[in-house]
Amino acid sequence: MEQERKEQVVGFCRELIRIPSLSGQEKGVAEHLMAFMKANGFDSAAADDYGNVIGCIKGRRPGSKLLFDGHMDTVPVPDPSAWQYPPFGAEIHGDRIYGRGTSDMKGALAAMTSAASFFARDSRRDFAGEIYVAGVVHEECFEGVASRAISQQVHPDIVVIGEASGLNVKVGQRGRAEIVLESFGKPCHSANPEKGINAVYKITKAIAALRQVEVPHHPVLGDGILELTDIKSSPYPGASVVPAYCKATYDRRLLTGETPRSVLAPLQAALDKLMQEDPEASYKISYAVGKETCWTGNEITGKRFFPGWLYDKEEPFVQKVVRELQADGFRPEITQYNFCTNGSHYAGEAGIKTIGLGPSRENLAHTIDEYIEVDQLLKVTQCYEDVMKALLA
């Protein structure tokens, strides 16, 4: 890569990092991203109702629609003083750019946007299809929910998720669901507990029963984990009142083929059995529903059920990408993500061919002193150009 281009990619990445962009507060990054696209050869660049930025470069010949997906939001920085370098300073020390969002995932977003511009310029747009780059909102809250609006607008044929992969090609992931277990009792003064029904006692029986429910296993993705993550009674604090309500939350890791109904069915069966045995027990199990405000002022709402997905390593579109990367000197492994991504929508819900390919290490996301190596940033820019060559020839 020419020195001028290297400086452009690194500089753009640092500019994005310097703009804080918590979920729902992505406006600054969105505006900067659109301005960059318009100044660097994109045919269009606009924000949708949620605030997702969608930029497009069209080739001279008809062909596939290739979408690169990178989210603009980041997790918070609770204590900036705990960082060795300022979390929004984008300082370079050694071969690393430090800051919140470097690895997750403004580095990839800068690289894919730059790569699209470079590819269009170098090919003189003599390629078959259309290149889209999406800067997505609210991914940290709702993996895939905002992406629904993008796929409805773009109708992509193939999607590249830019989450950290160490330049390896990812062909799947477990999904996740947030499941809420509720227990309903009867309040009374705790000096006379026999006059009420303690919802906490009842929910402990339900928790014990749900631990006995067997979770499925996938030979590649592993176990469909069901793990209790929090529990809260009401009223709280009790102040001499027997609690009439208690809520427990579970994290359920999802495998391919699982549906909202199939996941809840065995849990509901276990609860039904308890309620048959104990007439005083009353339970409800459901999926958590989240609601957030976008930077545009619109609300985004979603059930917290984000499907898993997996493609075979020998899929033709996967192998095309791998061969092009290998021809350019890269040696990618074909593996799966260990965490949830916007691929939950594209591949898991919409059935769109999807791979993951990004810079940096997966375990740097959400950490203190988060960083991205400059070498990884520049290499993934070339990798994204290789993907374009492979799929839009």
Side-chain angles (χ1 to χ4, degrees), residues 55-67:
C56 176
I57 298 176
K58 296 184 177 181
R60 293 182 180 179
R61 294 175 279 123
S64 299
K65 293 181 177 181
L66 176 60
L67 171 67

Side-chain angles (χ1 to χ4, degrees), residues 30 58 69-70 96 117 171 206 268 299 319 368:
K58 296 184 177 181
D69 175 289
R96 298 174 176 179
S117 173
V171 293
Q268 185 65 60
E299 284 190 341
Q319 287 300 314
I368 294 173

Side-chain angles (χ1 to χ4, degrees), residues 40 168 231 316:
N40 286 275
N168 293 310
I231 184 168

Side-chain angles (χ1 to χ4, degrees), residues 103-380:
S103 181
D104 186 27
M105 58 173 294
K106 292 178 178 178
L109 187 58
M112 56 181 58
T113 311
S114 300
S117 173
F118 298 157
F119 180 74
R121 195 181 316 168
D122 293 343
S123 67
R124 297 182 181 180
R125 296 179 182 254
D126 187 19
F127 62 89
E130 301 172 14
I131 300 168
Y132 291 85
V133 177
V136 188
V137 299
H138 277 297
E139 189 275 345
E140 297 290 359
C141 302
F142 302 117
E143 298 96 322
V145 175
S147 294
R148 292 171 183 163
I150 296 169
S151 64
Q152 287 171 3
Q153 178 177 328
V154 174
H155 301 289
D157 296 292
I158 301 177
V159 175
V160 179
I161 302 292
E163 296 278 10
S165 75
L167 307 184
N168 293 310
V169 174
K170 303 293 185 176
V171 293
Q173 61 167 77
R174 285 185 300 192
R176 74 176 182 93
E178 188 175 315
I179 297 175
V180 176
L181 168 65
E182 296 173 280
S183 172
F184 305 93
K186 180 181 176 182
C188 70
H189 198 290
S190 56
N192 302 291
E194 72 281 356
K195 297 184 182 298
I197 299 173
N198 192 314
V200 175
Y201 289 151
K202 299 300 182 184
I203 207 169
T204 57
K205 294 181 179 179
I207 289 170
L210 295 189
R211 289 198 72 182
Q212 302 305 311
V213 175
E214 186 175 352
V215 294
H217 176 83
H218 189 280
V220 176
L221 297 177
D223 292 327
I225 295 168
L226 178 69
E227 187 66 15
L228 178 67
T229 55
D230 65 56
I231 184 168
K232 187 173 183 179
S233 62
S234 179
Y236 182 85
S240 300
V241 179
V242 168
Y245 176 78
C246 191
K247 181 178 78 171
T249 305
Y250 286 86
D251 184 315
R252 173 70 156 79
R253 294 293 149 163
L254 305 171
L255 308 179
T256 54
E258 292 195 287
T259 66
R261 180 175 294 181
S262 72
V263 169
L264 286 190
L267 306 179
Q268 185 65 60
L271 296 176
D272 288 343
K273 185 173 183 294
L274 283 181
M275 288 187 285
Q276 288 173 359
E277 296 170 350
D278 181 359
E280 290 188 337
S282 178
Y283 304 115
K284 178 184 176 183
I285 194 159
S286 61
Y287 293 105
V289 175
K291 180 184 291 187
E292 300 287 345
T293 301
C294 299
W295 68 262
T296 58
N298 294 316
E299 284 190 341
I300 183 169
T301 303
K303 181 187 294 183
R304 296 191 184 279
F305 185 96
F306 313 112
W309 55 281
L310 181 68
Y311 285 96
D312 191 282
K313 295 180 180 181
E314 300 304 319
E315 284 275 357
F317 79 98
V318 175
Q319 287 300 314
K320 278 185 180 181
V321 169
V322 170
R323 285 195 296 270
E324 190 66 43
L325 291 171
Q326 291 173 336
D328 203 16
F330 297 102
R331 294 293 178 266
E333 295 181 27
I334 304 177
T335 59
Q336 302 80 41
Y337 281 121
N338 288 322
F339 52 86
C340 207
T341 75
N342 280 339
S344 285
H345 163 65
Y346 296 116
E349 290 181 344
I352 300 168
K353 295 176 181 176
T354 301
I355 59 169
L357 175 61
S360 194
R361 301 200 312 267
E362 297 179 33
N363 63 356
L364 290 175
H366 304 183
T367 59
I368 294 173
D369 292 328
E370 180 184 350
Y371 66 85
I372 186 172
E373 294 174 349
V374 173
D375 182 62
Q376 284 275 305
L377 178 63
L378 298 177
K379 283 181 176 177
V380 83

